[in-house]
Amino acid sequence: MPETIKNSGGGAILHPQPPSATDAQLFGGSLSRNEWTLRGSRSRLFVLSSGTGDLVTARRRQPLAAPLIIWLPAGESATLALEAGADGGMLAIPDQTLGAAMPAGAVFAQVRDTISRPILGQRLSLAASRQILATVRLIAEEISGALPGGEEVIRHHLSLLLIALWRLAAPVGDAPKPSPRVIVRSFVQLVDLHVRDHWTVPDYAVALGVTPDRLNTAIKRATGRTPLDFIHGRLVAEAVILLEGSSLQIAEIADALGFTDAAYFSRFFKRVAGVSPRTHRAGPRQKRLATDTSYAAWP
């Protein structure tokens, strides 16, 4: 489904953007009612610092009164109508950017669980709304400025926003333990992000907020393999991509994958893949490793 961000009012227009792009816009000062039809493949955040309106989803109509925040995960459709004079800002975030901005550490699983569900008109303080709006403004400036390092700056701002969103939506009391399915999916995402950092299984367990034993049980039940087996397979899959798709030397590939010693990398690759990196590059290509550890193959 194509991306759609349609504004039917007289205020600032949120122009349609490619689904692969992050978009940040500020709106306000309109003398007439504004209405947006939202659908597509990007997640969206709206922060309203002043004004009123309505949010209509497939399930309900939600009256809005600032200050508040709205979060719509990718795939959710809604119509947002704001009365004249409303002020605020919005973000449209593709999944790839959202995944890269996910905070590591013990809050990873909780933040991921929070952003997987819509947040419709969550009330917040005026100070909080202004702070979030200021962050949206900074992201908008980075997008329009196209300065060196802009993507990193945007990623860090988004990470802080995701933590703020989790804090606003988190229930009082202890957070529920993540289900085995959530553990598996979150583990795979973290491995994609940190496989070249050579995290240990306990490192991943801490980031997911579970014990190493619980992580091991969830992964083995879902895949028949241990977390360490999956990490090693994913690391070798990364090596295969570089061996088959680049002219880098073996030592350069080892360095790119976080190995401090090229000889150790070669022994590791041969132990997991069955052949040395040099032999693999010279021989038939082994597609099994790349597909066996892809995210799409997981539940």
Side-chain angles (χ1 to χ4, degrees):
M1 181 180 296
E3 283 278 298
T4 301
I5 305 179
K6 179 182 177 183
N7 181 311
S8 63
I13 295 178
L14 310 185
H15 297 283
Q17 296 288 332
S20 60
T22 300
D23 187 24
Q25 302 279 347
L26 302 176
F27 54 84
S30 172
L31 298 179
S32 61
R33 177 183 172 92
N34 287 283
E35 184 174 296
W36 292 272
T37 300
L38 307 168
R39 65 176 182 267
S41 59
R42 294 182 292 181
S43 296
R44 292 190 178 84
L45 179 144
F46 276 82
V47 57
L48 195 62
S49 59
S50 67
T52 60
D54 291 283
L55 180 71
V56 180
T57 67
R59 293 179 289 276
R60 71 183 201 182
R61 176 186 291 272
Q62 172 73 36
L64 304 174
L68 57 81
I69 196 166
I70 295 166
W71 174 260
L72 291 174
E76 294 280 339
S77 298
T79 298
L80 174 64
L82 298 178
E83 300 299 333
D87 288 292
M90 64 80 67
L91 289 171
I93 313 165
D95 281 346
Q96 183 177 2
T97 303
L98 196 62
M102 285 293 293
V107 301
F108 174 87
Q110 294 96 314
V111 172
R112 188 181 187 280
D113 186 56
T114 295
I115 66 172
S116 69
R117 301 187 303 270
I119 300 172
L120 307 178
Q122 173 74 44
R123 297 284 295 177
L124 67 164
S125 68
L126 182 59
S129 72
R130 289 173 175 170
Q131 184 176 11
I132 293 172
L133 194 57
T135 303
V136 174
R137 181 180 290 106
L138 289 172
I139 293 174
E141 291 172 355
E142 287 294 332
I143 292 173
S144 62
L147 297 173
E151 290 186 4
E152 285 298 303
V153 174
I154 291 170
R155 181 174 66 82
H156 284 293
H157 282 314
L158 287 176
S159 182
L160 293 174
L161 275 180
L162 294 179
I163 293 175
L165 196 65
W166 163 65
R167 286 175 172 175
L168 290 168
V172 177
D174 294 335
K177 293 182 179 180
S179 67
R181 184 178 182 85
V182 169
I183 291 173
V184 171
R185 281 189 163 274
S186 299
F187 172 72
V188 173
Q189 282 194 334
L190 276 180
V191 171
D192 283 342
L193 289 172
H194 296 288
V195 66
R196 298 188 183 198
D197 298 327
H198 294 255
W199 279 19
T200 65
V201 172
D203 289 334
Y204 286 103
V206 169
L208 294 169
V210 299
T211 65
D213 285 344
R214 187 152 190 254
L215 175 60
N216 186 69
T217 298
I219 301 303
K220 286 192 72 173
R221 285 181 177 176
T223 70
R225 294 187 293 170
T226 67
L228 189 60
D229 287 338
F230 178 78
I231 294 167
H232 286 174
R234 187 69 185 85
L235 193 54
V236 168
E238 290 279 314
V240 167
I241 292 172
L242 294 175
L243 286 167
E244 297 180 354
S246 77
S247 58
L248 292 174
Q249 298 296 317
I250 302 300
E252 292 174 321
I253 292 175
D255 183 66
L257 295 176
F259 289 87
T260 57
D261 182 74
Y264 175 71
F265 163 69
S266 295
R267 293 194 299 271
F268 166 82
F269 187 95
K270 184 173 183 179
R271 175 166 56 84
V272 177
V275 295
S276 69
R278 200 172 303 280
T279 300
H280 177 91
R281 174 172 267 175
R285 298 187 174 185
Q286 301 178 14
K287 298 298 183 184
R288 182 184 62 82
L289 282 168
T291 57
D292 192 35
T293 56
S294 70
Y295 183 82
W298 288 68

